[in-house]
Amino acid sequence: MGEFGRATTVKASGYDRVTVADCRLRCQEVRPLLFDFNGVMPVGELITQAVFNMAVPFCVAMADPSIPASRRSAQIVITAAWPGEAWIRCQVTTDQGKRYSQQVRVAVYGPGPIYGDQEPVGGPFELIATAP
């Protein structure tokens, strides 16, 4: 997984399906989080729906779910709200009726909003994106 560039990318592996990816952010950062399923989907298979879940929506806020034009990945925008950890699962359904999922642990570091920043709110529990 890469931290630099336009988005934090989580690559699902067909060889190690139980790996949980790690992402680290500082409080107040806003960043796209891209789940790349190329490594687990056969050639030609396309994503039709993506469901993003968070068990405890406290330290991270999710927004703007989408399925990019390639339909081989899914994306949200996350905001690091408070120090702590959040586990986010992306579960996709394909045009072949298959389901794949990938988890990421987002660790938020640094003091909370102590510089007069607006306090972001964690959540929601679930977001859904549907392919056009």
Side-chain angles (χ1 to χ4, degrees), residues 99-130:
R99 281 199 182 138
Y100 303 102
S101 67
Q102 180 64 45
Q103 287 185 320
V104 62
R105 178 179 50 222
V106 180
V108 179
Y109 292 93
I114 62 172
Y115 300 105
D117 299 328
Q118 180 178 356
E119 298 177 14
V121 177
F125 284 99
E126 180 177 276
L127 292 174
I128 299 173
T130 304

Side-chain angles (χ1 to χ4, degrees), residues 6-10 23 25 29-37 50-54 60-68 73-80 86-92 102-106 123-130:
R6 294 187 179 110
T8 296
T9 302
V10 177
C23 168
L25 300 174
E29 288 186 336
V30 178
R31 187 148 180 86
L33 179 60
L34 178 76
F35 291 85
D36 182 348
F37 288 92
V51 179
F52 303 90
N53 301 97
M54 216 175 2
V60 173
M62 300 187 300
D64 301 326
S66 64
I67 299 171
S73 60
Q75 178 175 301
I76 56 174
V77 175
I78 57 173
T79 301
W87 289 64
I88 300 173
R89 177 183 72 171
C90 177
Q91 183 172 3
V92 297
Q102 180 64 45
Q103 287 185 320
V104 62
R105 178 179 50 222
V106 180
F125 284 99
E126 180 177 276
L127 292 174
I128 299 173
T130 304

Side-chain angles (χ1 to χ4, degrees), residues 8-64:
T8 296
T9 302
V10 177
K11 294 189 178 206
S13 169
Y15 298 102
D16 187 2
R17 294 300 305 127
V18 297
T19 297
V20 175
D22 284 307
C23 168
R24 295 187 288 174
L25 300 174
R26 294 195 55 81
C27 280
Q28 307 292 312
E29 288 186 336
V30 178
R31 187 148 180 86
L33 179 60
L34 178 76
F35 291 85
D36 182 348
F37 288 92
N38 273 312
V40 296
M41 292 171 45
V43 174
E45 192 170 12
L46 302 174
I47 295 172
T48 57
Q49 184 181 62
V51 179
F52 303 90
N53 301 97
M54 216 175 2
V56 181
F58 166 65
C59 61
V60 173
M62 300 187 300
D64 301 326

